[in-house]
């Protein structure tokens, strides 16, 4: 199979509400959608890089630069066996994993469509509806937070993840516990703490959280191992795991007892599956994180999360949790507290071309 035409497009999609984490806030997503065509079929991918480098060093702008200058031109007309070797001609490019993942995931969709198979099946997953969770951003006060959590629980989310930062942590989580009892609850610090905060982590350790996500520095593994040795609550690494090699090191050092897998963060679905396979061999549970994706990226995440090692509900919430209207049809919705899998070929949902056109900020086409 050879990609004959690749279309890269930046769309601007306003979030329903500001999403704030310890390292920054997001209001308007600038997403890159990639459509690849070959053998008369097409596939869609999404680059999840954020507007600013507060989660990872990549941004929408760096991804546009690397995709247009380095990644996409050599791939047009380049023969490949399957999605596993799409990136072979650009292996020399270091880093920029979110940019790489955007095109890689589009090729996975294309290949699944060529086979007439849903992406989840092509990846090796199971087609049953999944329990999913919701990630709740930092709120101005506890009352607002409690109201949000209540509404999400009513919608059927199976676990609640709450963003924390110094000054908005133990008391706030205690308030959630006091109000909602033993609902599955976890906290995500996005690297807001240091090892010197051990007394605070001991308090968090008494809250019965299913895990604490990325408490320390965004590139650290060693100090997370030191912290994990002091806690009974599992640590879950997010930012620190950029590859299977990172995951191997973190598991070896017992720095993480759960891994949040985001295909964008690790450079695509093939690497995401390798991290999953490694964890599964070692009996370490994983779950699928999110990057405030549009329906295109959400469809990929959902397909990935059907693999058997994804035992915790993912941050794969309904379209309405993020957008007034998504860019795919049908939109993602919870049915009886679960997210059904689209059963068409590939990602199984159709990008709404008219809507996408109306949100487009720029387009660049390679090949033709
Ligand atoms: O740390 O998991 C994170 C969103 C943007 C950047 C980082 C993170 C998140 C989320 C939201 O937690 C997950 C989602 O619902 O897409
Ligand atoms: Mg996280």
């Amino acid at each position: 199979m050879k990609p004959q035409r690749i279309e890269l497009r930046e769309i601007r999609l306003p979030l329903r509400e500001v999403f704030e984490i310890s390292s920054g806030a997001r209001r308007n997503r600038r997403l890159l959608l990639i459509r690849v065509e070959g053998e008369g079929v097409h596939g869609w991918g999404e680059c999840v890089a954020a507007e600013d480098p507060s989660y990872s060093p990549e941004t929408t702008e760096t991804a546009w630069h690397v995709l247009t200058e380095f990644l996409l031109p050599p791939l047009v007309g380049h023969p490949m066996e399957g999605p596993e070797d799409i990136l072979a001609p650009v292996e020399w490019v270091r880093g920029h994993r979110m940019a790489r993942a955007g095109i890689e995931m589009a090729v996975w969709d294309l290949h699944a469509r060529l086979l007439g198979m849903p992406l989840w099946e092509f990846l090796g997953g199971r087609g049953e509806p999944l329990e999913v969770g919701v990630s709740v951003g930092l709120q101005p006060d506890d009352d607002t937070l409690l109201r949000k959590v209540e509404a999400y629980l009513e919608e059927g989310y199976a676990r609640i993840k709450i963003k924390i930062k110094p000054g908005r942590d133990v008391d706030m989580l205690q308030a959630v516990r006091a109000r909602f009892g033993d609902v599955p609850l976890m906290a995500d610090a996005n690297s807001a703490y240091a090892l010197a905060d051990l007394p605070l982590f001991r308090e968090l350790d008494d809250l019965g959280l299913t895990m604490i996500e990325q408490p320390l520095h965004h590139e650290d593994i060693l100090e997370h191992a030191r912290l994990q040795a002091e806690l009974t609550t599992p640590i879950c690494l997010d930012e620190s795991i950029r590859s299977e090699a990172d995951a191997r090191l973190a598991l070896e050092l017992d720095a993480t007892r759960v891994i949040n897998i985001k295909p964008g963060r690790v450079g695509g679905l093939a690497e995401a599956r390798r991290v999953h396979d490694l964890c599964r061999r070692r009996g370490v549970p994983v779950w699928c994180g999110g990057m405030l994706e549009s329906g295109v990226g959400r469809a990929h995440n959902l397909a990935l999360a059907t693999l058997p090692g994804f035992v915790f509900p993912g941050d794969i919430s309904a379209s309405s949790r993020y957008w007034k209207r998504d860019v795919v049809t049908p939109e993602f919705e919870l049915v009886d507290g679960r997210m059904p899998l689209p059963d068409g070929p590939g990602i199984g949902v159709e990008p709404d071309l008219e809507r996408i056109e109306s949100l487009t900020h720029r387009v660049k086409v390679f090949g033709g």
Side-chain angles (χ1 to χ4, degrees):
M1 184 341 259
K2 280 185 208 157
Q4 276 139 13
R5 183 177 184 276
I6 306 178
E7 191 180 275
L8 173 68
R9 181 187 288 269
E10 178 183 334
I11 62 164
R12 299 193 170 179
L13 195 56
L15 284 158
R16 271 181 104 130
E17 50 186 54
V18 178
F19 185 77
E20 191 181 338
I21 68 179
S22 66
S23 58
R26 317 235 169 282
R27 184 182 300 273
N28 288 301
R29 287 293 273 134
R30 293 175 57 193
L31 296 167
L32 303 182
L33 295 181
I34 296 164
R35 182 182 184 278
V36 56
E37 223 177 287
E39 319 251 320
V41 219
H42 65 268
W44 287 85
E46 174 170 341
C47 170
V48 300
E51 300 66 40
D52 64 49
S54 60
Y55 168 82
S56 95
E58 290 187 82
T59 67
T60 314
E61 203 65 42
T62 68
W64 181 273
H65 166 62
V66 170
L67 280 159
T68 56
E69 295 290 321
F70 305 110
L71 294 178
L72 299 183
L75 299 183
V76 176
H78 195 277
M80 65 174 112
E81 301 271 320
E84 305 267 9
D85 66 345
I86 163 78
L87 295 174
V90 291
E91 268 324 318
W92 60 272
V93 175
R94 297 188 181 177
H96 300 285
R97 292 182 170 84
M98 293 176 178
R100 278 195 268 161
I103 174 67
E104 196 247 22
M105 292 162 87
V107 171
W108 274 97
D109 180 30
L110 183 152
H111 271 267
R113 287 183 204 237
L114 265 176
L115 298 169
M117 201 186 259
L119 180 58
W120 57 262
E121 189 181 350
F122 187 37
L123 282 165
R126 287 171 315 154
E128 281 133 45
L130 296 176
E131 281 197 328
V132 294
V134 62
S135 171
V136 190
L138 288 159
Q139 302 297 323
D141 52 66
D142 288 0
D143 281 348
T144 316
L145 175 68
L146 295 174
R147 270 205 308 279
K148 293 248 149 88
V149 171
E150 180 170 35
Y152 287 135
L153 288 171
E154 268 167 26
E155 282 181 54
Y157 289 104
R159 72 87 173 109
I160 301 289
K161 160 169 142 182
I162 296 190
K163 295 290 184 177
I164 58 170
K165 68 172 183 183
R168 304 280 299 147
D169 40 42
V170 176
D171 293 351
M172 179 174 80
L173 291 168
Q174 263 163 354
V176 177
R177 271 282 178 251
R179 177 71 197 280
F180 302 104
D182 54 8
V183 60
L185 186 65
M186 55 182 286
D188 187 357
N190 290 105
S191 301
Y193 299 87
L195 207 44
D197 295 312
L198 188 57
L200 175 116
F201 286 112
R202 290 200 197 288
E203 289 184 71
L204 288 179
D205 211 16
D206 292 333
L207 289 170
L209 303 175
T210 26
M211 66 194 88
I212 302 174
E213 189 175 336
Q214 195 71 35
L216 309 179
H217 190 275
H218 64 276
E219 288 175 333
D220 170 78
I221 290 179
L222 189 56
E223 294 201 335
H224 281 100
R226 302 248 154 90
L227 180 60
Q228 182 67 85
E230 302 293 328
L231 303 179
T232 49
T233 309
I235 289 179
C236 169
L237 289 179
D238 172 357
E239 283 90 326
S240 291
I241 306 296
R242 296 154 305 177
S243 61
E244 186 203 13
D246 284 344
R248 206 178 306 128
L249 178 61
L251 295 181
E252 204 64 43
L253 295 179
D254 192 22
T256 195
R257 293 188 181 160
V258 185
I259 293 182
N260 167 343
I261 301 182
K262 296 177 180 173
R265 199 193 63 227
V266 300
L269 288 171
E271 189 74 359
R273 194 168 59 176
R274 282 191 285 271
V275 176
H276 160 273
D277 294 349
L278 168 77
C279 290
R280 192 158 152 77
R281 285 196 300 276
R282 304 203 175 195
V284 172
V286 303
W287 56 281
C288 184
M291 288 293 294
L292 310 174
E293 286 89 349
S294 81
V296 173
R298 191 164 314 285
H300 282 276
N301 290 351
L302 192 59
L304 178 68
T306 64
L307 294 177
F310 285 82
V311 299
F312 290 110
D315 283 342
I316 312 174
S317 313
S319 298
S320 63
R321 184 258 173 271
Y322 310 90
W323 324 110
K324 284 222 175 78
R325 210 175 118 205
D326 208 331
V327 302
V328 299
T329 44
E331 300 198 16
F332 289 94
E333 272 177 36
L334 291 188
V335 178
D336 300 329
R338 284 171 189 259
M339 185 75 84
L341 289 158
D343 54 13
I347 58 174
V349 289
E350 274 311 315
D352 176 344
L353 299 180
E354 229 167 88
R355 172 147 173 78
I356 288 173
E357 195 60 54
S358 74
L359 299 165
T360 295
H361 177 66
R362 51 181 164 169
V363 191
K364 194 152 181 171
V365 176
F366 301 83

